[in-house]
Amino acid sequence: MRTAIISHPLCRRHKMTAEHPECPQRLDAISDRILASGLDIAVTHLMAPKADESHYALVHDDQHIERVLTSIPEQGLIDLDGDTSLCKDSLKAIERAVGAGIMAVDEVLDGRHDAAFCSVRPPGHHADKGKSAGFCIFNNVAIATKYAQSKGVNRIAILDIDVHHGDGTQAIVKSDPNVLFCSLFQYPFYPNTEIENTETVVNSPLPVASDGADLRALYSQQWLPKLRQFQPELIFISAGFDAHLEDDMGGLKFVEGDYAWFTQQIALLNNELNCRGIISYLEGGYDLSSLGRSVETHIRTLAEF
C-alpha cells in the first residue's frame, strides 16, 4: 500500500506538566524508530497543514471552540479538565493535529496514497462535542470523518484500539447511521462510560491481562462480521498503543505481533470490500520504547501489504 506519514514539528510544542505522560517525546520515539529501522525510505513523509475553525466546527459546538481558543495562556498552563491543559503554543499543535486528518482524507480520496498514519499530538478520542478530556482537546478522528463525509464518502468505519474507550468519538458519531464505531478497551477502566451497543456501535470491553489471543477472537467474532455487513467505503483507525504489555498506562498485554496482525486484517478487509483506503491516527501510547516499536510495526505492515 502506498503509505504516507503525516506529522509536523509544531506538534511537539504542546506541553503539559513535566511529568505528564502525553509528552512531546512520544513523537520523537516514533520518528527515531522509523528512521533507525529503515522504514523511512518506504513511505512518503508529509507536513500537516493548519486546520482552521471551520474544521473544528464540523464536530464541536461554538462554545467549546471559543473556550479553547480564548484559553491559550501567555505563559504557564490553563487546565481544561483534570488531565488536560493548554500552554502558550498548544494551538499551534492542535492546528496541525487536526490538519493532518484533513490532508490524509484528501491524499486517500484523490488517489495519491492508499493509507496514511497521522503521527501527531494532542490525541483526540476522549474529546466530545462540548468538552476536552483525557489529554484530548479536539476530536481529530471525528473531524476527519465528518470532513470525509463532506467530500462524498457515504459509509465510514472507525476502529478504536486504544486501551481506553473512545467515549468522545462514540458520543459524536453514535447517532449517525453512516458511521460504524468499534472500540476495544480495558474494562473497568477510565473513562468508565456506560457500555452500549447499537446497529452502528460495537463496544468490546476486555478484562485486565487480555492478550493477542483475545484480540484475535474479538476481531473475528465481533468486528469482522459487522464490518462486512456495514460495507464501509473508508476506514479510520484510532491507533492507541497503550494496550501494549510494556505500557503501564493500562493492564492489557498486546505486543508488536498483535498490532501487525490487526493491521494486516484491516488491510485485507480494505481490499476485500474495495474500500478507498485506511487512515490511522495516533491516540495513546506512553511507554516510549514500545510506542516506537508498535507504530513502526503498524506502518510497516501497511507499507508492505
Side-chain angles (χ1 to χ4, degrees), residues 93-106:
I94 293 165
E95 290 170 337
R96 306 296 174 163
V98 173
I102 304 302
M103 172 179 273
V105 170
D106 287 339

Side-chain angles (χ1 to χ4, degrees), residues 14-117:
H14 171 65
K15 299 177 182 179
M16 292 183 274
T17 57
E19 68 279 3
H20 201 287
E22 206 295 284
C23 61
Q25 289 76 22
R26 299 176 66 226
L27 298 187
D28 296 338
I30 292 169
S31 58
D32 288 351
R33 179 70 187 186
I34 289 169
L35 183 64
S37 69
L39 180 59
D40 61 306
I41 62 174
V43 298
T44 305
H45 298 269
L46 299 174
M47 296 287 272
K50 284 178 65 174
D52 58 38
E53 288 186 47
S54 69
H55 296 124
Y56 313 146
L58 291 170
V59 161
H60 298 288
D61 61 40
D62 292 342
Q63 293 86 351
H64 179 47
I65 296 170
E66 182 70 12
R67 182 190 178 201
V68 170
L69 298 184
T70 59
S71 295
I72 302 294
E74 293 185 5
Q75 59 182 3
L77 298 174
I78 293 290
D79 286 336
L80 294 176
D81 81 338
D83 299 314
T84 315
S85 302
L86 296 170
C87 72
K88 65 183 180 66
D89 290 326
S90 289
L91 184 59
K92 297 175 182 177
I94 293 165
E95 290 170 337
R96 306 296 174 163
V98 173
I102 304 302
M103 172 179 273
V105 170
D106 287 339
E107 287 294 312
V108 169
L109 297 188
D110 292 344
R112 289 185 292 273
H113 288 91
D114 306 304
F117 179 79

